[in-house]
Structures are given as structure tokens and as C-alpha cells.
Amino acid sequence: MSGPQRSGTGGGNRRAVVTGLGVVSPHGIGVEAHWKAVADGASSLGPVTREGCEDLPLRVAGEVRGFDAAETVEDRFLVQTDRFTHFALAATQHALTDARFGRADVDSPYSVGVVTAAGSGGGEFGQRELQNLWGHGSRHVGPYQSIAWFYAASTGQVSIRNDFKGPCGVVAADEAGGLDALAHAALAVRGGTDTVVCGATEAPLAPYSIVCQLGYPELSRAAEPDRAYRPFTDAACGFAPAEGGAVLLVEEETAARERGADVRATVAGHAATFTGPGRWELSREGLARAIGGALAEAGCRPEEVDVVFADALGVPEADRAEALALADALGPHAARVPVTAPKTGTGRAYCAAPVLDVATAVLAMEHGLIPPTPHVVDVCHDLDVVTGRARPGEPRTALILGRGLMGSNSALVLRRGAGPSAER
């Protein structure tokens, strides 16, 4: 097992802060729709309705309904890109608008970078073009087949569409990659880049993509939405997948304040480890070490953590390992700190799942409300899981966790903003 890899997000004179949020989730399009549903403890899990999926054994997922990419994305980008990139382009526009960040705020295109994470790539686009190839011949395959499916497509298209030419990259680090992308953005800011657009979006519900996922033993086959994804309970039977995601605008604090932006949260610390695929008992030590590394980088004592956004895989062995990892890393505080997993109401959107949790954590700290964990009632671990209704509070420090099916573990510490956003 590798030791914790710290991102270098803390310390130094340049601090990375979150100033804008863009969300495309099964709960709705935009921050307001997402937060309202999360705060109400609503669930958007439902039957898989995508064409071609009728006879597949996956029955329940979190679909993004009512999304019309043409409302926010120009035709020339739409034809080049898959649904997961449509989500990224739309979420980026929402994040820039939310942060009041426009062309006038860009001194040079090289001052803005883009970092995304993706686990499934452009399955819908790829499937369509392969069907054209085998059904009609090579002349019917579009030229964008070579790029639209690729994991880096969202980073490239966000950069091109907005003329952002600063440090760009894509993180391929399993489902935990969403947190790693945010840490990568914070590291770029600390290293001299003023602004980074970062996040993750996924669209893994095309038939081809679902068939690929059916090899995961952790995937829930339950047919009832209220039973498909119930982590930390005796009824846990895996996770329900989802599409959508979130994009955040991360800026250097001084530059953000100079342009009058609200500092909504600070990326205080991050660490990651690797424990290998299918070895959930080992993820206890790996996740605990990641948590410890993130807390150390943030200069945060365990008792300062006000809320934990759990990875919440929904597999008994993995849930037990996560509960024990929290106990190992936080000590007695692990049994007292509120733990939540709003993703049980949206589904687990692979790399995008922990980024949605980061966006939700920012909103939870701003609203003084810890959202509940839908569908979870009888918790069988020594954790204070928030269930039923949202819990009022004043969370100022959030710990967000992510693990991947291939063995990645990641932990991120987020501090509440100290600027105008504190009253937003």
C-alpha cells in the first residue's frame, strides 16, 4: 500500500478558495435545485429509462432529466462532444456565472487553467459511432469519434470554449479522482495560477457503459429505488450509479478578493493513498492515512471536523472499513461528528460523486444545515449518520471522502469562507 500523497494545498502565502459552483445533478440543473432537494432529503433515484437499457439487469440509477444541452452549449461544441462533456460545459457556465467571473476578470488567457476527472468517458457518443461503423460502414463514422469518448475531452472543450490557456489536465484516479482534481487545482493556484476551473461530470448510463459496469460486484441490482442504495445498514446491497456532476471555480484568495468575489470556502488540505482493487478491508488503513494526511496539511485537529461527507459505497465490507477508518483517524470524535451521504438520493456518479459532495458541503456550511442521507434508517455502525431530516448546525470544517473501485482513497478538508459568502 502506498503512503499518503499530499497535494500541497495548505500553507504558503497563496491560498486556494472556492468562489463559484456549477451543478448538473439528478436533483436538477443549477445549485438552487440541487440544494433544495438535498436539504429536503429528497431522492431522485428511479428506474433506468434510457433507450436500449430495458433488458439490462441494472434497474435503478440517478438520471439527469430535463437537461437540454442546446440551451447553454453552441451547436459546434455539441456535435463534437458526448453527454458527459455537455454536462461539464453547462456546469462550467453555471460556475462562472455564480462566481461573477467574466471576460473582464481574465487578465490573460494563460491565467486560467482547467482540471477535470472522469472515469467512464464518452460512452454514448462512442456507442453511436461504433454502431454506425458496423451497421453502415466507415464513411458514416464522424471525425470526432477519435476525441469525444476520451477522458480528457471535457478539459479540452472547456478550455477551448472559454479560451482558457493556463495549466490544464485530466485526473485519472478512479472514483476518488474528483477530489484529486480539486487538490490538483489548489496546487496549481498555490504554484502561481490565479484561477482554475475544476470538477468532474459523468454520463455512464448509455447501454454500452452499463454493460461495462455490470462486471462490478459492488453495483446494486435492486429493482426498488428505496432499496437500491442503503450504505451503513444491514440492508446494504451495493450502490446505484448516476450521471451528472459539478464544476467549481477555484481562485487565489487575494486575486479573488481584489475582484470583489465572495470567498465561499477554502481548500485547506488533501491526501490520497492506494490500497488495490477489491480489497475493502485494506481500505480501512488506506483511507485513515489519507484522512490523517489531509488533516495534517490543513492544520486541523480531529475534533475540529464538524461534518463528514462519507464515501458510502453501500457494500458491507467497504462500509465497515470506512467506519473503522474514521475511528482510526478521528479517535473518539468519530462517534460524535455528524456523517452524511446525500449521494444516496442521487446515486453514485463515479468521479463526479465526491465533487458533488464538495459543492454540497460548501452549501451546507453557508446555510448552517447538514443534509440527511436518503433511504438510510437503521445504521449498523458506530457513526452519527444524519438520517430523516436535515440537522441544523454551524459547520465550519468539512471532511469529504472518496474511494474508487480500483483501490484509490482520497480525503479533502474544506473550511468555510470568511468573506461575504459567510452570510450568503
Side-chain angles (χ1 to χ4, degrees):
M1 181 182 69
S2 64
Q5 301 297 309
R6 299 182 187 176
S7 62
T9 57
N13 296 321
R14 293 176 61 87
R15 294 205 303 174
V17 299
V18 176
T19 58
L21 306 175
V23 171
V24 176
S25 91
H27 282 330
I29 315 303
V31 166
E32 291 185 6
H34 175 74
W35 172 250
K36 182 181 186 305
V38 166
D40 289 344
S43 174
S44 294
L45 294 182
V48 178
T49 64
R50 301 293 294 281
E51 183 178 356
C53 298
E54 299 85 356
D55 298 324
L56 297 177
L58 176 68
R59 301 299 183 189
V60 175
E63 296 183 350
V64 175
R65 296 179 172 85
F67 174 76
D68 184 358
E71 292 182 357
T72 53
V73 183
E74 302 90 328
D75 287 345
R76 69 187 183 97
F77 290 106
L78 287 178
V79 299
Q80 300 177 23
T81 49
D82 178 80
R83 185 173 171 86
F84 90 108
T85 300
H86 299 166
F87 290 154
L89 291 168
T92 296
Q93 189 57 53
H94 280 281
L96 295 174
T97 300
D98 185 55
R100 303 188 300 278
F101 188 89
R103 296 289 181 184
D105 298 303
V106 181
D107 293 332
S108 162
Y110 297 97
S111 67
V112 185
V114 182
V115 181
T116 66
S120 59
E124 183 177 87
F125 194 108
Q127 176 176 337
R128 184 183 68 236
E129 297 304 304
L130 288 174
Q131 287 175 329
N132 288 340
L133 172 64
W134 295 111
H136 305 286
S138 60
R139 293 181 181 273
H140 294 267
V141 177
Y144 300 112
Q145 163 68 356
S146 60
I147 60 172
W149 67 271
F150 192 47
Y151 305 98
S154 293
T155 289
Q157 296 291 359
V158 168
S159 172
I160 292 168
R161 185 188 186 216
N162 296 281
D163 195 33
F164 295 153
K165 299 181 180 179
C168 292
V170 59
V171 177
D174 215 351
E175 288 98 317
L179 292 183
D180 295 347
L182 185 56
H184 190 88
L187 183 61
V189 166
R190 189 166 179 247
T193 303
D194 283 343
T195 308
V196 180
V197 174
C198 68
T201 54
E202 301 272 23
L205 300 183
Y208 171 77
S209 300
I210 291 177
V211 169
C212 293
Q213 295 167 71
L214 292 176
Y216 299 149
E218 296 89 354
L219 193 72
S220 175
R221 267 65 167 186
E224 302 85 6
D226 60 344
R227 296 179 181 272
Y229 190 13
R230 302 178 66 184
F232 304 120
T233 71
D234 289 329
C237 61
F239 69 91
E243 58 182 0
V247 170
L248 288 72
L249 192 69
V250 175
E251 301 186 67
E252 195 279 319
E253 183 179 24
T254 300
R257 292 189 184 281
E258 285 178 352
R259 73 174 188 84
D262 289 354
V263 173
R264 305 181 68 172
T266 300
V267 183
H270 169 268
T273 64
F274 181 76
T275 50
R279 308 170 73 182
W280 293 117
E281 70 281 359
L282 295 184
S283 73
R284 170 185 179 175
E285 181 183 357
L287 187 59
R289 293 179 70 179
I291 295 169
L295 292 176
E297 187 171 83
C300 178
R301 300 188 305 274
E303 57 270 22
E304 292 181 63
V305 175
D306 299 313
V307 61
V308 175
F309 282 76
D311 176 64
L313 187 62
V315 174
E317 298 84 355
D319 293 345
R320 181 175 185 273
E322 183 170 17
L324 293 173
L326 284 167
D328 293 342
L330 301 183
H333 188 58
R336 300 189 297 265
V337 63
V339 175
T340 186
K343 62 170 70 74
T344 62
T346 59
R348 186 181 176 91
Y350 294 99
C351 280
V355 184
L356 271 173
D357 280 345
V358 171
T360 304
V362 173
L363 295 166
M365 289 190 288
E366 290 178 351
H367 289 273
L369 201 65
I370 299 173
T373 307
H375 306 305
V376 171
V377 180
D378 299 319
V379 176
C380 62
H381 298 279
D382 190 18
L383 296 173
D384 182 16
V385 179
V386 180
T387 63
R389 297 181 179 179
R391 184 181 301 179
E394 293 295 330
R396 301 193 64 84
T397 301
L399 173 65
I400 299 96
L401 306 180
R403 288 176 300 178
L405 299 180
M406 297 299 108
S408 296
N409 311 287
S410 191
L412 185 135
V413 176
L414 205 64
R415 299 274 199 180
R416 185 182 178 189
S421 64
E423 302 300 326
R424 185 167 170 161

